[in-house]
Amino acid sequence: ITVAGSGLVRTCTVVQAAASGVFAPRRINCGGPAISGATPWLADTNYSGGSVWTTTATIANATSAPMAVYQRERSGSPLSYSIGSIPNGAYRVRLHFNDMSATSYAGKRVFHVDLEGVRVLSSLDVYVAAGGTRRALVRAFDVNVTGGNGLQIVFTKVAGYPQINGIEVESVGPPAPAIVASASQVAVPE
C-alpha cells in the first residue's frame, strides 16, 4: 500500500504468513484412562480442579463416543481445562456429558461453560437436557483459538458441581493466518 502527498511517500507492506502443519483431532476421556481404537481418546489431561467419578452402568444414547467415556467424569468447582497443544486456529469443540448419579433430579447440578472466554452454555442442567440420568448428551461449538496459549475451557458452578465426560477438538479449517506489517516513510523531492 503506498500513499503519496506533501512530498512524502508512505509505504506499508503486509505479508500473510502461510499456515503450517496439520492438526490431528484431540479427544480427552475426562476422568478416565486412554482408550485405543479407530478413534483413540487420551487419558484425562490438562485439567485444573475437580475429582473423578465412575460408574459401571450402561449409558443410553452413548453413540458419539465409546461407552467408557460416559462412564467416567471429572467434576468439581473450580474446574477448567487448558489444552496448550491446540494451536491458534478455527475448531469444532464437542463436549460430552452424562449425569451419572442415580439420585439426580432437575436443578441438582447446573453450570455454565466458557470456551476461549465466551459463554457457550448458560445454566446447563445435563439431567434436563439429556432427558434423565445416565443418558449421553453432546454439545458442539465452533471456536477460534487465539493468543497462543491453547484452548481454554472453564466450567462455572450455579448449583451442585460442574462435570464433563469427554472433550473432542477438530480443526474446521486452516489456522488463522499471521499478519505481519511493516511501515516506512520516504521523503520525495517536489
Side-chain angles (χ1 to χ4, degrees), residues 16-40:
Q16 180 174 323
S20 62
V22 175
F23 178 80
R26 302 282 195 285
R27 294 175 183 88
I28 298 174
N29 182 17
C30 302
I35 300 172
S36 59
T39 54

Side-chain angles (χ1 to χ4, degrees), residues 107-185:
K108 182 176 181 180
R109 183 194 311 242
V110 181
F111 54 93
H112 306 309
V113 180
D114 296 345
L115 297 177
E116 286 295 291
V118 175
R119 174 102 357 117
V120 294
L121 289 169
S122 293
S123 299
L124 174 65
D125 185 329
V126 174
Y127 178 89
V128 171
T133 189
R134 297 182 177 161
R135 299 179 64 82
L137 175 70
V138 180
R139 292 291 184 252
F141 306 94
D142 288 342
V143 63
N144 288 312
V145 173
T146 60
N149 61 347
L151 175 63
Q152 307 302 308
I153 307 172
V154 176
F155 300 85
T156 305
K157 174 182 178 171
V158 174
Y161 290 113
Q163 63 86 221
I164 183 73
N165 296 83
I167 300 169
E168 288 185 272
V169 184
E170 296 179 315
S171 177
V172 293
I179 303 294
V180 178
S182 63
S184 63
Q185 183 171 312

Side-chain angles (χ1 to χ4, degrees), residues 64-129:
S64 296
M67 178 73 65
V69 170
Y70 297 107
Q71 291 175 322
R72 296 180 182 270
E73 73 177 35
R74 177 161 294 282
S75 65
S77 182
L79 177 59
S80 64
Y81 280 79
S82 179
I83 309 171
S85 60
I86 308 292
N88 289 352
Y91 299 93
R92 176 153 301 123
V93 176
R94 287 183 192 86
L95 303 175
H96 296 261
F97 302 98
N98 165 38
D99 190 331
M100 296 190 316
S101 174
T103 61
S104 198
Y105 53 85
K108 182 176 181 180
R109 183 194 311 242
V110 181
F111 54 93
H112 306 309
V113 180
D114 296 345
L115 297 177
E116 286 295 291
V118 175
R119 174 102 357 117
V120 294
L121 289 169
S122 293
S123 299
L124 174 65
D125 185 329
V126 174
Y127 178 89
V128 171

